Amino acid sequence: QVQLVESGGGLVQPGGSLRLSCAASGSIFSIYAMGWYRQAPGKQRELVAGITSGGRANYADSVKGRFTISRDNAKNTVYLQMNSLKPEDTAVYYCNAVVGPMSYWGQGTQVTVSS
């Protein structure tokens, strides 16, 4: 099984930056892909960025050019570097891991972008 723990959320000014981390433990060698989702108040959870075990990344159109997903295999950790943050980026961000047909989720970390 896979366990995921997120960190790095917080309050930031518009135009600022945050770096989210997601540490994976358990059956980490079975992970096909990892990603970040977010859920804003009153909205459905949406995919922000994903990365496969081979390093292929994809992004939501709303964050392209501003966010970067990366991984550190030695630390079993995936990161989301968020730059040029906007108020509309405010949401709870969730780490996700895909293992075959199964998905595993972290507990979520709050990101608030406000003046």
Side-chain angles (χ1 to χ4, degrees):
Q1 307 304 313
V2 175
Q3 296 79 44
L4 305 172
V5 179
E6 303 110 325
S7 62
L11 175 64
V12 66
Q13 298 289 315
S17 297
L18 284 174
R19 189 194 194 200
L20 306 184
S21 299
C22 175
S25 62
S27 301
I28 57 176
F29 298 108
S30 299
I31 296 176
Y32 169 73
M34 297 183 68
W36 290 94
Y37 289 70
R38 68 186 181 188
Q39 188 166 17
K43 293 187 175 181
Q44 188 64 49
R45 189 175 300 186
E46 64 175 350
L47 176 67
V48 177
I51 188 166
T52 68
S53 59
R56 187 181 186 92
N58 64 284
Y59 300 90
D61 288 341
S62 60
V63 307
K64 286 181 179 177
R66 299 188 298 120
F67 291 10
T68 303
I69 189 169
S70 62
R71 62 180 184 172
D72 185 337
N73 290 334
K75 295 181 178 293
N76 302 315
T77 300
V78 64
Y79 304 94
L80 186 67
Q81 179 66 48
M82 304 185 294
N83 299 325
S84 302
L85 282 162
K86 305 174 181 179
E88 50 263 44
D89 295 318
T90 296
V92 178
Y93 284 70
Y94 297 90
C95 183
N96 169 261
V98 177
V99 183
M102 303 296 296
S103 290
Y104 298 87
W105 296 91
Q107 80 285 352
T109 185
Q110 177 71 47
V111 172
T112 302
V113 185
S114 179
S115 299

PDB file of all heavy atoms in Angstrom, residues 18-42:
ATOM      1  N   LEU A  18       5.088  29.280  -3.642  1.00  0.00           N
ATOM      2  CA  LEU A  18       5.074  28.232  -2.641  1.00  0.00           C
ATOM      3  C   LEU A  18       5.572  26.949  -3.279  1.00  0.00           C
ATOM      4  O   LEU A  18       5.423  26.753  -4.487  1.00  0.00           O
ATOM      5  CB  LEU A  18       3.676  27.987  -2.076  1.00  0.00           C
ATOM      6  CG  LEU A  18       3.102  28.980  -1.068  1.00  0.00           C
ATOM      7  CD1 LEU A  18       1.657  28.621  -0.768  1.00  0.00           C
ATOM      8  CD2 LEU A  18       3.924  28.989   0.210  1.00  0.00           C
ATOM      9  N   ARG A  19       6.124  26.091  -2.455  1.00  0.00           N
ATOM     10  CA  ARG A  19       6.560  24.779  -2.908  1.00  0.00           C
ATOM     11  C   ARG A  19       5.906  23.709  -2.051  1.00  0.00           C
ATOM     12  O   ARG A  19       6.156  23.635  -0.847  1.00  0.00           O
ATOM     13  CB  ARG A  19       8.076  24.648  -2.823  1.00  0.00           C
ATOM     14  CG  ARG A  19       8.628  23.379  -3.474  1.00  0.00           C
ATOM     15  CD  ARG A  19      10.065  23.157  -3.068  1.00  0.00           C
ATOM     16  NE  ARG A  19      10.733  22.161  -3.891  1.00  0.00           N
ATOM     17  CZ  ARG A  19      11.838  21.513  -3.543  1.00  0.00           C
ATOM     18  NH1 ARG A  19      12.418  21.781  -2.377  1.00  0.00           N
ATOM     19  NH2 ARG A  19      12.384  20.629  -4.353  1.00  0.00           N
ATOM     20  N   LEU A  20       5.076  22.896  -2.676  1.00  0.00           N
ATOM     21  CA  LEU A  20       4.419  21.799  -1.993  1.00  0.00           C
ATOM     22  C   LEU A  20       5.247  20.527  -2.133  1.00  0.00           C
ATOM     23  O   LEU A  20       5.869  20.287  -3.164  1.00  0.00           O
ATOM     24  CB  LEU A  20       3.021  21.548  -2.563  1.00  0.00           C
ATOM     25  CG  LEU A  20       2.068  22.742  -2.600  1.00  0.00           C
ATOM     26  CD1 LEU A  20       0.705  22.296  -3.112  1.00  0.00           C
ATOM     27  CD2 LEU A  20       1.952  23.396  -1.238  1.00  0.00           C
ATOM     28  N   SER A  21       5.220  19.720  -1.088  1.00  0.00           N
ATOM     29  CA  SER A  21       5.921  18.450  -1.094  1.00  0.00           C
ATOM     30  C   SER A  21       4.951  17.330  -0.763  1.00  0.00           C
ATOM     31  O   SER A  21       4.026  17.508   0.031  1.00  0.00           O
ATOM     32  CB  SER A  21       7.056  18.440  -0.070  1.00  0.00           C
ATOM     33  OG  SER A  21       8.008  19.437  -0.350  1.00  0.00           O
ATOM     34  N   CYS A  22       5.172  16.176  -1.361  1.00  0.00           N
ATOM     35  CA  CYS A  22       4.386  14.979  -1.081  1.00  0.00           C
ATOM     36  C   CYS A  22       5.341  13.810  -0.939  1.00  0.00           C
ATOM     37  O   CYS A  22       5.960  13.390  -1.922  1.00  0.00           O
ATOM     38  CB  CYS A  22       3.372  14.717  -2.189  1.00  0.00           C
ATOM     39  SG  CYS A  22       2.453  13.171  -2.000  1.00  0.00           S
ATOM     40  N   ALA A  23       5.458  13.299   0.264  1.00  0.00           N
ATOM     41  CA  ALA A  23       6.333  12.170   0.541  1.00  0.00           C
ATOM     42  C   ALA A  23       5.534  10.880   0.515  1.00  0.00           C
ATOM     43  O   ALA A  23       4.516  10.759   1.201  1.00  0.00           O
ATOM     44  CB  ALA A  23       7.016  12.354   1.890  1.00  0.00           C
ATOM     45  N   ALA A  24       6.001   9.916  -0.264  1.00  0.00           N
ATOM     46  CA  ALA A  24       5.333   8.628  -0.408  1.00  0.00           C
ATOM     47  C   ALA A  24       6.082   7.553   0.361  1.00  0.00           C
ATOM     48  O   ALA A  24       7.315   7.540   0.397  1.00  0.00           O
ATOM     49  CB  ALA A  24       5.225   8.235  -1.878  1.00  0.00           C
ATOM     50  N   SER A  25       5.329   6.650   0.950  1.00  0.00           N
ATOM     51  CA  SER A  25       5.905   5.499   1.623  1.00  0.00           C
ATOM     52  C   SER A  25       5.038   4.284   1.359  1.00  0.00           C
ATOM     53  O   SER A  25       3.898   4.395   0.910  1.00  0.00           O
ATOM     54  CB  SER A  25       6.045   5.746   3.126  1.00  0.00           C
ATOM     55  OG  SER A  25       4.779   5.965   3.728  1.00  0.00           O
ATOM     56  N   GLY A  26       5.584   3.105   1.628  1.00  0.00           N
ATOM     57  CA  GLY A  26       4.876   1.868   1.367  1.00  0.00           C
ATOM     58  C   GLY A  26       5.367   1.215   0.092  1.00  0.00           C
ATOM     59  O   GLY A  26       6.569   1.100  -0.124  1.00  0.00           O
ATOM     60  N   SER A  27       4.436   0.820  -0.770  1.00  0.00           N
ATOM     61  CA  SER A  27       4.771   0.134  -2.019  1.00  0.00           C
ATOM     62  C   SER A  27       5.150   1.134  -3.099  1.00  0.00           C
ATOM     63  O   SER A  27       4.526   1.215  -4.153  1.00  0.00           O
ATOM     64  CB  SER A  27       3.592  -0.740  -2.461  1.00  0.00           C
ATOM     65  OG  SER A  27       3.271  -1.703  -1.485  1.00  0.00           O
ATOM     66  N   ILE A  28       6.209   1.888  -2.843  1.00  0.00           N
ATOM     67  CA  ILE A  28       6.560   2.992  -3.730  1.00  0.00           C
ATOM     68  C   ILE A  28       7.043   2.515  -5.094  1.00  0.00           C
ATOM     69  O   ILE A  28       6.943   3.257  -6.073  1.00  0.00           O
ATOM     70  CB  ILE A  28       7.614   3.903  -3.081  1.00  0.00           C
ATOM     71  CG1 ILE A  28       8.855   3.092  -2.700  1.00  0.00           C
ATOM     72  CG2 ILE A  28       7.029   4.605  -1.861  1.00  0.00           C
ATOM     73  CD1 ILE A  28       9.980   3.917  -2.132  1.00  0.00           C
ATOM     74  N   PHE A  29       7.546   1.303  -5.187  1.00  0.00           N
ATOM     75  CA  PHE A  29       8.029   0.803  -6.467  1.00  0.00           C
ATOM     76  C   PHE A  29       6.904   0.433  -7.416  1.00  0.00           C
ATOM     77  O   PHE A  29       7.166   0.178  -8.590  1.00  0.00           O
ATOM     78  CB  PHE A  29       8.955  -0.392  -6.245  1.00  0.00           C
ATOM     79  CG  PHE A  29      10.177  -0.076  -5.453  1.00  0.00           C
ATOM     80  CD1 PHE A  29      10.321  -0.533  -4.155  1.00  0.00           C
ATOM     81  CD2 PHE A  29      11.189   0.692  -5.999  1.00  0.00           C
ATOM     82  CE1 PHE A  29      11.452  -0.232  -3.414  1.00  0.00           C
ATOM     83  CE2 PHE A  29      12.327   1.002  -5.276  1.00  0.00           C
ATOM     84  CZ  PHE A  29      12.454   0.534  -3.971  1.00  0.00           C
ATOM     85  N   SER A  30       5.684   0.408  -6.932  1.00  0.00           N
ATOM     86  CA  SER A  30       4.532   0.093  -7.759  1.00  0.00           C
ATOM     87  C   SER A  30       3.817   1.330  -8.281  1.00  0.00           C
ATOM     88  O   SER A  30       2.847   1.204  -9.023  1.00  0.00           O
ATOM     89  CB  SER A  30       3.539  -0.770  -6.971  1.00  0.00           C
ATOM     90  OG  SER A  30       4.128  -2.000  -6.584  1.00  0.00           O
ATOM     91  N   ILE A  31       4.274   2.510  -7.921  1.00  0.00           N
ATOM     92  CA  ILE A  31       3.596   3.740  -8.311  1.00  0.00           C
ATOM     93  C   ILE A  31       3.816   4.009  -9.794  1.00  0.00           C
ATOM     94  O   ILE A  31       4.960   4.103 -10.247  1.00  0.00           O
ATOM     95  CB  ILE A  31       4.069   4.928  -7.467  1.00  0.00           C
ATOM     96  CG1 ILE A  31       3.684   4.722  -6.003  1.00  0.00           C
ATOM     97  CG2 ILE A  31       3.474   6.231  -7.996  1.00  0.00           C
ATOM     98  CD1 ILE A  31       4.196   5.802  -5.074  1.00  0.00           C
ATOM     99  N   TYR A  32       2.718   4.153 -10.525  1.00  0.00           N
ATOM    100  CA  TYR A  32       2.790   4.467 -11.945  1.00  0.00           C
ATOM    101  C   TYR A  32       2.934   5.967 -12.176  1.00  0.00           C
ATOM    102  O   TYR A  32       3.709   6.406 -13.026  1.00  0.00           O
ATOM    103  CB  TYR A  32       1.548   3.956 -12.665  1.00  0.00           C
ATOM    104  CG  TYR A  32       1.413   4.458 -14.076  1.00  0.00           C
ATOM    105  CD1 TYR A  32       2.235   3.964 -15.085  1.00  0.00           C
ATOM    106  CD2 TYR A  32       0.472   5.423 -14.402  1.00  0.00           C
ATOM    107  CE1 TYR A  32       2.115   4.422 -16.382  1.00  0.00           C
ATOM    108  CE2 TYR A  32       0.344   5.885 -15.696  1.00  0.00           C
ATOM    109  CZ  TYR A  32       1.174   5.382 -16.684  1.00  0.00           C
ATOM    110  OH  TYR A  32       1.051   5.846 -17.974  1.00  0.00           O
ATOM    111  N   ALA A  33       2.177   6.744 -11.417  1.00  0.00           N
ATOM    112  CA  ALA A  33       2.210   8.188 -11.578  1.00  0.00           C
ATOM    113  C   ALA A  33       1.812   8.854 -10.271  1.00  0.00           C
ATOM    114  O   ALA A  33       1.125   8.255  -9.435  1.00  0.00           O
ATOM    115  CB  ALA A  33       1.275   8.630 -12.696  1.00  0.00           C
ATOM    116  N   MET A  34       2.236  10.089 -10.121  1.00  0.00           N
ATOM    117  CA  MET A  34       1.823  10.904  -8.993  1.00  0.00           C
ATOM    118  C   MET A  34       1.392  12.260  -9.508  1.00  0.00           C
ATOM    119  O   MET A  34       1.828  12.689 -10.582  1.00  0.00           O
ATOM    120  CB  MET A  34       2.935  11.055  -7.961  1.00  0.00           C
ATOM    121  CG  MET A  34       3.356   9.746  -7.328  1.00  0.00           C
ATOM    122  SD  MET A  34       4.614   9.939  -6.042  1.00  0.00           S
ATOM    123  CE  MET A  34       3.654  10.790  -4.766  1.00  0.00           C
ATOM    124  N   GLY A  35       0.550  12.907  -8.749  1.00  0.00           N
ATOM    125  CA  GLY A  35       0.074  14.200  -9.184  1.00  0.00           C
ATOM    126  C   GLY A  35      -0.490  15.029  -8.061  1.00  0.00           C
ATOM    127  O   GLY A  35      -0.573  14.587  -6.907  1.00  0.00           O
ATOM    128  N   TRP A  36      -0.848  16.232  -8.425  1.00  0.00           N
ATOM    129  CA  TRP A  36      -1.468  17.174  -7.512  1.00  0.00           C
ATOM    130  C   TRP A  36      -2.835  17.569  -8.033  1.00  0.00           C
ATOM    131  O   TRP A  36      -2.985  17.915  -9.211  1.00  0.00           O
ATOM    132  CB  TRP A  36      -0.609  18.427  -7.344  1.00  0.00           C
ATOM    133  CG  TRP A  36       0.658  18.192  -6.595  1.00  0.00           C
ATOM    134  CD1 TRP A  36       1.886  17.915  -7.116  1.00  0.00           C
ATOM    135  CD2 TRP A  36       0.822  18.213  -5.181  1.00  0.00           C
ATOM    136  NE1 TRP A  36       2.809  17.770  -6.114  1.00  0.00           N
ATOM    137  CE2 TRP A  36       2.181  17.945  -4.907  1.00  0.00           C
ATOM    138  CE3 TRP A  36      -0.045  18.436  -4.112  1.00  0.00           C
ATOM    139  CZ2 TRP A  36       2.693  17.888  -3.611  1.00  0.00           C
ATOM    140  CZ3 TRP A  36       0.456  18.380  -2.825  1.00  0.00           C
ATOM    141  CH2 TRP A  36       1.806  18.113  -2.588  1.00  0.00           C
ATOM    142  N   TYR A  37      -3.810  17.495  -7.160  1.00  0.00           N
ATOM    143  CA  TYR A  37      -5.153  17.979  -7.420  1.00  0.00           C
ATOM    144  C   TYR A  37      -5.441  19.123  -6.471  1.00  0.00           C
ATOM    145  O   TYR A  37      -4.759  19.294  -5.451  1.00  0.00           O
ATOM    146  CB  TYR A  37      -6.186  16.876  -7.217  1.00  0.00           C
ATOM    147  CG  TYR A  37      -6.177  15.782  -8.257  1.00  0.00           C
ATOM    148  CD1 TYR A  37      -5.133  14.867  -8.336  1.00  0.00           C
ATOM    149  CD2 TYR A  37      -7.230  15.651  -9.158  1.00  0.00           C
ATOM    150  CE1 TYR A  37      -5.130  13.861  -9.284  1.00  0.00           C
ATOM    151  CE2 TYR A  37      -7.243  14.642 -10.109  1.00  0.00           C
ATOM    152  CZ  TYR A  37      -6.187  13.750 -10.162  1.00  0.00           C
ATOM    153  OH  TYR A  37      -6.200  12.748 -11.105  1.00  0.00           O
ATOM    154  N   ARG A  38      -6.460  19.899  -6.793  1.00  0.00           N
ATOM    155  CA  ARG A  38      -6.889  20.938  -5.875  1.00  0.00           C
ATOM    156  C   ARG A  38      -8.399  21.049  -5.888  1.00  0.00           C
ATOM    157  O   ARG A  38      -9.062  20.716  -6.873  1.00  0.00           O
ATOM    158  CB  ARG A  38      -6.251  22.283  -6.211  1.00  0.00           C
ATOM    159  CG  ARG A  38      -6.711  22.904  -7.523  1.00  0.00           C
ATOM    160  CD  ARG A  38      -5.901  24.155  -7.816  1.00  0.00           C
ATOM    161  NE  ARG A  38      -6.310  24.802  -9.048  1.00  0.00           N
ATOM    162  CZ  ARG A  38      -5.668  25.813  -9.608  1.00  0.00           C
ATOM    163  NH1 ARG A  38      -4.573  26.311  -9.041  1.00  0.00           N
ATOM    164  NH2 ARG A  38      -6.125  26.345 -10.742  1.00  0.00           N
ATOM    165  N   GLN A  39      -8.927  21.516  -4.787  1.00  0.00           N
ATOM    166  CA  GLN A  39     -10.356  21.718  -4.648  1.00  0.00           C
ATOM    167  C   GLN A  39     -10.595  23.063  -3.977  1.00  0.00           C
ATOM    168  O   GLN A  39     -10.245  23.249  -2.808  1.00  0.00           O
ATOM    169  CB  GLN A  39     -11.003  20.591  -3.847  1.00  0.00           C
ATOM    170  CG  GLN A  39     -12.512  20.648  -3.828  1.00  0.00           C
ATOM    171  CD  GLN A  39     -13.139  19.357  -3.330  1.00  0.00           C
ATOM    172  OE1 GLN A  39     -12.474  18.531  -2.711  1.00  0.00           O
ATOM    173  NE2 GLN A  39     -14.412  19.181  -3.610  1.00  0.00           N
ATOM    174  N   ALA A  40     -11.174  23.975  -4.731  1.00  0.00           N
ATOM    175  CA  ALA A  40     -11.515  25.290  -4.225  1.00  0.00           C
ATOM    176  C   ALA A  40     -12.917  25.254  -3.626  1.00  0.00           C
ATOM    177  O   ALA A  40     -13.722  24.372  -3.948  1.00  0.00           O
ATOM    178  CB  ALA A  40     -11.437  26.325  -5.336  1.00  0.00           C
ATOM    179  N   PRO A  41     -13.240  26.210  -2.760  1.00  0.00           N
ATOM    180  CA  PRO A  41     -14.579  26.239  -2.165  1.00  0.00           C
ATOM    181  C   PRO A  41     -15.675  26.252  -3.225  1.00  0.00           C
ATOM    182  O   PRO A  41     -15.640  27.055  -4.159  1.00  0.00           O
ATOM    183  CB  PRO A  41     -14.578  27.537  -1.358  1.00  0.00           C
ATOM    184  CG  PRO A  41     -13.139  27.759  -1.017  1.00  0.00           C
ATOM    185  CD  PRO A  41     -12.381  27.275  -2.224  1.00  0.00           C
ATOM    186  N   GLY A  42     -16.622  25.342  -3.095  1.00  0.00           N
ATOM    187  CA  GLY A  42     -17.736  25.267  -4.016  1.00  0.00           C
ATOM    188  C   GLY A  42     -17.431  24.649  -5.358  1.00  0.00           C
ATOM    189  O   GLY A  42     -18.303  24.647  -6.237  1.00  0.00           O
TER     190      GLY A  42
END
